[in-house]
Amino acid sequence: MTDPRALAATLLLGGALGAAAQTVALSGSMGSDKALLLIDGTPQTLAVGASARGVTLRRLGDGEAEVEVGGQRRVLRLGAAPARVGGGAPAAAAATEIVLPMGPGGHFGGSGAINGRPVQFMVDTGATSVALSQAEANRIGLDWKRGRPAFTSTANGTVPVYAVNLTTVRLGEVEIANVAAVVVPSEMPMVLLGNSFLNRFTMRRDSDVMRLEKKP
């Protein structure tokens, strides 16, 4: 006969394990209905509505996924740091620091978003503002043709641009509102992260790592 005290202890332990917080990150997608997740560091492919390791995929969008753990829902963004979900822990304070490792060619950059749409950034301390190509602006749905026509000097001479205002720019887990940008006609492999964004931070470099600390 089962000892009631042992049974109660087992139930309590199971509840505690079920409520434990987990780290979940979105690392990619397969089509429009399957997400590639990292759950506590372990790769897992989930279809919308399916569950694994206590994580349920509720929604999959362009560069983001909504998951549920222990009754809590969280939106994960592609390329962002793993999110801690479940366990009834209080919400973490808004992130204020961006840490960027050095990439190929000695450049710093990372995944982020403009107006909620995923992009790849490269830090350019010599650029006055954020700069992106017309093709990239079209891809993320930016209505750049309503911007202010202007000209800018480049290594290839003076080129026409459109000055626009970005509602939000996010790099890593830090998001900045109301950021000036220009849309240029030439192709660029990444969005250049210029001083209209960088000036909102205190910047320092530690060897092969760049740290951006958000100003108060």
Side-chain angles (χ1 to χ4, degrees), residues 75-170:
V75 175
L76 309 175
R77 293 187 172 89
L78 185 63
R84 193 168 178 83
V85 188
T96 59
E97 185 182 47
I98 303 169
V99 180
L100 302 174
M102 182 184 291
H107 298 293
F108 295 92
S111 300
I114 291 177
N115 296 351
R117 301 296 299 274
V119 299
Q120 287 291 322
F121 289 111
M122 184 175 73
V123 172
D124 185 355
T125 56
T128 302
S129 61
V130 174
L132 63 161
S133 68
Q134 290 180 3
E136 185 73 348
N138 289 334
R139 185 187 69 81
I140 65 174
L142 185 64
D143 191 6
W144 55 272
K145 291 182 180 179
R146 292 192 176 185
R148 178 175 56 83
F151 290 90
T152 189
S153 297
T154 70
N156 298 320
T158 301
V159 297
V161 299
Y162 283 83
V164 298
N165 191 74
L166 306 176
T167 304
T168 58
V169 175
R170 178 181 58 80

Side-chain angles (χ1 to χ4, degrees), residues 170-209:
R170 178 181 58 80
L171 180 59
E173 289 295 297
V174 181
E175 187 170 82
I176 299 296
N178 193 25
V179 179
V182 293
V183 177
V184 301
S186 56
E187 290 295 322
M188 296 192 300
M190 296 185 182
V191 177
L192 298 182
L193 203 59
N195 288 312
S196 58
F197 179 88
L198 298 175
N199 285 344
R200 310 281 190 95
F201 296 84
T202 299
M203 183 188 310
R204 74 177 189 274
R205 179 173 168 177
D206 299 328
S207 185
D208 292 342
V209 174

